[in-house]
Amino acid sequence: MPRQWWAILIGAALLWLLSALQPILMPFFISLVLAYLGDPVADWLQRRGLSRRLAVSVVFIFMLLLIVLTALVVIPLVWRQLLQLIDIIPVVINWLQGNAIPRIEQWTDYDISTDFEQIRAVIFGHWREASTVAAQVLGQLSRSGMALAIWIANLLLIPVVSFYMLLDWDRMKRALRELLPRAFEPTVTRLARECDEVLGAFLRGQLIVMLVLGGVYAIGLSLLGVRFGLLIGLMAGLISIVPYLGAITGILTAELVTFFQFQAMWPMIGVAGVFLIGHLLEGMVLQPLLLGDKIGLHPVAVIFAVMAGGQLFGFVGILLALPAAAIIMVVLRHLLARYLDSALYDNPNADDSSN
């Protein structure tokens, strides 16, 4: 069997394996990302004289403390605002029915009040249940010992796997390099180095961009007195990994909340100013400084990659989509360079041979 067919079969087997193991991949994927992000810091500490184990321990403890402190501070605030947001749903529904729906029917000559009344009945019948979803889920987990055990095991597995991955990161890279066929080792190593630069720029840079934007949005909306400003700002920063989606979703949600809260124009202008500042900060400072042109992914390609990853592998696919797309871009640039240097692209004898 030709080598190309073996490569195709191996690739198909890997895709099938990823799909089959999807339910247990999440803790290993999170551990892999944490180890990848922490490895440069551990290497820097090693160059300052620390042993690998001590450097990894320092990085691991710092990351663990950062995650725990963030969870203790942010999660209660976000959860409180989420419950408050659920409580005002009936107010919004009543306003839409009494003000917006009649005007829309007047402008369009289309009767939508009947359909909206059915939607209103469904929402009013179930909106109070939303505030108790977490309690129901926790109660169900407590009654299902196996599900609770699996959930706790996955949670405890993340720091353990992260520590050992980070400890053996350089050793794993050397082992993979030694397994490569000698004829392909220089090319594969060069491509792997380029992929590492792209992934490093993307993961570290995009993480900082998301955190900064989330902070700017949350602080700005909170200073304006917008209800749920922290929740809206953090949500907009989190989904800003997809170009323009975070800003569009955040400003629409914030403007809607501001309209119901203040019923005035100036607060809504202030909300638009907050997101304009965030957009300018992202485009003029954060993106050029942290990401530059290393990623090379068009916004349309980013959106397609996220949707394709979610369709193929669910939530894990969404998380893996952009790193995989960045690696594919590196490989495609390499193949394009090989094609442009080949006789197939620039063969001076092609016209003569065709004649």
Side-chain angles (χ1 to χ4, degrees), residues 26 32 44 72 105 162 204 247 280 325:
M26 183 57 66
L32 181 65
W44 181 82
L72 291 177
E105 291 180 339
S162 300
R204 300 180 186 96
L280 294 177

Side-chain angles (χ1 to χ4, degrees), residues 27-254:
F28 294 94
F29 172 75
I30 296 176
S31 302
L32 181 65
V33 172
L34 292 177
Y36 182 79
L37 293 175
D39 180 65
V41 182
D43 292 341
W44 181 82
L45 292 175
Q46 276 189 279
R47 291 193 293 269
R48 296 301 183 275
L50 274 68
S51 65
R52 180 67 183 183
R53 184 173 292 273
L54 182 57
V56 168
S57 300
V58 171
V59 174
F60 181 78
I61 293 174
F62 175 78
M63 295 174 66
L64 191 61
L65 288 176
L66 183 62
I67 293 173
V68 171
L69 289 176
T70 302
L72 291 177
V73 173
V74 175
I75 290 180
L77 295 175
V78 172
W79 180 251
R80 191 179 306 118
Q81 292 199 356
L82 183 61
L83 294 180
Q84 294 173 358
L85 180 62
I86 294 173
D87 289 336
I88 69 167
I89 289 178
V91 179
V92 176
I93 297 298
N94 289 329
W95 182 90
L96 289 174
Q97 187 176 25
N99 296 275
I101 298 300
R103 293 184 180 181
I104 295 175
E105 291 180 339
Q106 182 180 359
W107 293 338
T108 61
D109 292 329
Y110 182 74
D111 183 15
I112 60 175
S113 58
T114 304
D115 295 335
F116 186 80
E117 183 63 32
Q118 296 176 356
I119 297 174
R120 179 180 180 275
V122 172
I123 293 176
F124 271 55
H126 299 282
W127 72 275
R128 289 191 181 276
E129 299 176 5
S131 60
T132 61
V133 168
Q136 294 175 2
V137 171
L138 291 177
Q140 182 64 32
L141 285 177
S142 64
R143 289 189 296 269
S144 176
M146 181 60 68
L148 180 62
I150 293 175
W151 187 82
I152 295 176
N154 286 335
L155 189 63
L156 296 178
L157 196 61
I158 292 175
V160 176
V161 176
S162 300
F163 179 83
Y164 283 106
M165 278 190 174
L166 187 55
L167 183 64
D168 295 330
W169 191 264
D170 295 334
R171 190 181 309 168
M172 289 189 298
K173 290 196 300 185
R174 286 194 300 268
L176 289 175
R177 183 182 301 176
E178 292 173 357
L179 290 175
L180 294 173
R182 296 299 92 187
F184 302 114
E185 190 271 336
T187 301
V188 174
T189 301
R190 179 168 58 84
L191 286 176
R193 190 177 299 113
E194 293 180 11
C195 291
D196 179 64
E197 293 177 359
V198 170
L199 283 179
F202 172 76
L203 291 177
R204 300 180 186 96
Q206 192 64 45
L207 180 62
I208 296 175
V209 170
M210 291 164 55
L211 293 176
V212 171
L213 288 179
V216 169
Y217 295 150
I219 293 173
L221 295 176
S222 299
L223 290 177
L224 290 175
V226 178
R227 294 183 67 183
F228 324 117
L230 178 64
L231 176 63
I232 297 172
L234 293 180
M235 178 190 68
L238 182 64
I239 61 180
S240 63
I241 189 172
V242 180
Y244 310 114
L245 183 60
I248 293 174
T249 304
I251 193 171
L252 290 178
T253 307

